[in-house]
Amino acid sequence: MEQWIQVEPWIDQSKQQLDRLMEWVQRQPAAQFYATFAILFLSSIFFVLVRVLKRTKSNTIVLAGLSGSGKTILFYQLRDGSSHQGTVTSMDPNEGSFVLHSESEKGKIKPVHVVDVPGHYRLRPKLDEFLPQAAGLVFVVDALDFLPNCRAAAEYLYDILTKAAVVKRKIPLLIVCNKTDKVSAHSKDFIRKQLEKEIDKLRVSRTGASAADIADEFTLGVSGEPFVFSQCLNKVMLAESSGLTGEISQVEQFIREYVRC
Ligand SMILES: Nc1nc2c(ncn2[C@@H]2O[C@H](COP(=O)(O)OP(=O)(O)OP(=O)(O)O)[C@@H](O)[C@H]2O)c(=O)[nH]1
Ligand SMILES: [Mg+2]
């Protein structure tokens, strides 16, 4: 009996330790689950951060649009603050990294990489080379000679808005109605409505085409509803400018929104 009294606390202690051990063993699968979950969660955060940083780091702005819309003059205005009158149809992309002329005196130092892609039909595929690094896309429209070119501009825009590189990366697009220095230039609201109408027509005709003819990588808009730019996955905005007089503040504002100093 005496012996039992001496051993009993030791048995109780061991039993408690065993219970704790059992609890720990039971908790193991849950711990592993939490660890795996934590690793997966942290790695997805890591990949998202890498993607976001990659995107925000890009300082490339691509200028596209039909031939004669005013891309090259806009490029010179952004770089030098002058229009370098007497431009000819560009046969090669015009590119450069520079501090925007309007900001050069304000002590800003982060340069913007601007690419002006010629509007000539055969040179347009060059656009695909620059889209993967684009932080923003500026589509220049001739607001003066708009109506005869509306269909062609809408077709080019349609191609851009259905490109995987644009849709997947949600590259913001600014449609710039240029040449507003002339009173006969159309307003940006008029241009927006006409382009939306034309794109809507294109949507119908292109969806009706045989599958082999369709080069578009993504479909556009909401089926059953008339097309409006706000249906696009990427942000589409409109602005007005005059490359000739240097009234390009809305373009610069767009650039600064997507290429931070
Ligand atoms: N009135 C007026 N004319 C402009 C303006 N911007 C460009 N132009 C004229 O439009 C013509 C074409 O300008 P560019 O800058 O060469 O056009 P682009 O878009 O580079 O053309 P491509 O190189 O063929 O793709 C030139 O004669 C310019 O003087 C503007 O804001 N107002
Ligand atoms: Mg040009």
Side-chain angles (χ1 to χ4, degrees):
M1 188 61 187
E2 229 175 69
Q3 263 181 345
W4 171 250
I5 289 167
Q6 275 177 5
V7 171
E8 199 193 2
W10 181 83
I11 291 176
D12 278 350
Q13 220 176 347
S14 306
K15 203 167 160 269
Q16 276 171 11
Q17 277 175 353
L18 192 67
D19 283 348
R20 260 186 249 138
L21 184 67
M22 285 307 289
E23 261 174 43
W24 183 79
V25 169
Q26 276 170 359
R27 271 204 310 266
Q28 279 317 289
Q32 279 169 10
F33 170 78
Y34 288 131
T36 317
F37 180 76
I39 289 168
L40 283 175
F41 181 70
L42 289 174
S43 26
S44 23
I45 285 193
F46 175 76
F47 284 118
V48 168
L49 272 178
V50 167
R51 282 192 73 142
V52 168
L53 283 176
K54 253 190 182 173
R55 193 180 298 178
T56 48
K57 260 189 181 172
S58 165
N59 70 338
T60 300
I61 293 290
V62 180
L63 307 179
L66 297 183
S67 191
S69 53
K71 301 175 293 295
T72 303
I73 282 196
L74 203 56
F75 176 92
Y76 289 137
Q77 281 289 3
L78 290 167
R79 193 186 67 181
D80 309 326
S82 80
S83 65
H84 290 249
Q85 278 194 41
T87 53
V88 288
T89 293
S90 311
M91 294 316 287
D92 273 311
N94 192 16
E95 61 179 305
S97 283
F98 48 83
V99 174
L100 297 179
H101 181 265
S102 61
E103 292 180 342
S104 53
E105 285 147 24
K106 293 182 197 157
K108 299 209 172 156
I109 45 155
K110 183 163 178 188
V112 183
H113 177 221
V114 183
V115 186
D116 153 26
V117 181
H120 190 284
Y121 193 77
R122 289 214 194 116
L123 299 167
R124 281 189 214 164
K126 291 263 176 203
L127 182 64
D128 294 329
E129 290 173 26
F130 300 102
L131 285 180
Q133 29 164 326
L137 192 53
V138 174
F139 187 87
V140 186
V141 173
D142 183 339
L144 207 53
D145 207 14
F146 172 69
L147 285 172
N149 295 309
C150 178
R151 174 84 180 185
E155 279 176 348
Y156 194 2
L157 256 182
Y158 186 101
D159 291 340
I160 289 177
L161 289 169
T162 50
K163 277 183 191 292
V166 173
V167 179
K168 280 190 180 169
R169 291 186 54 239
K170 293 193 181 137
I171 302 177
L173 172 76
L174 182 73
I175 300 172
V176 177
C177 309
N178 191 36
K179 310 195 184 180
T180 51
D181 47 279
K182 295 272 190 287
V183 280
S184 49
H186 294 284
S187 73
K188 67 175 182 185
D189 282 335
F190 175 80
I191 291 178
R192 179 181 51 77
K193 280 185 199 141
Q194 296 302 315
L195 287 174
E196 284 174 340
K197 260 193 228 167
E198 276 306 322
I199 290 179
D200 196 48
K201 283 190 220 158
L202 282 170
R203 214 164 50 134
V204 176
S205 61
R206 294 210 187 176
T207 331
S210 76
D213 293 337
I214 298 170
D216 318 320
E217 297 167 59
F218 280 82
T219 51
L220 204 51
V222 178
S223 71
E225 285 180 30
F227 174 77
V228 282
F229 286 115
S230 56
Q231 292 163 349
C232 294
L233 290 177
N234 56 323
K235 208 168 170 188
V236 180
M237 294 148 278
L238 273 99
E240 290 177 347
S241 74
S242 166
L244 200 65
T245 62
E247 181 35 62
I248 54 163
S249 55
Q250 293 175 24
V251 181
E252 289 174 323
Q253 216 176 315
F254 171 80
I255 294 176
R256 272 304 160 223
E257 192 172 334
Y258 295 99
V259 179
R260 298 245 175 239
C261 293

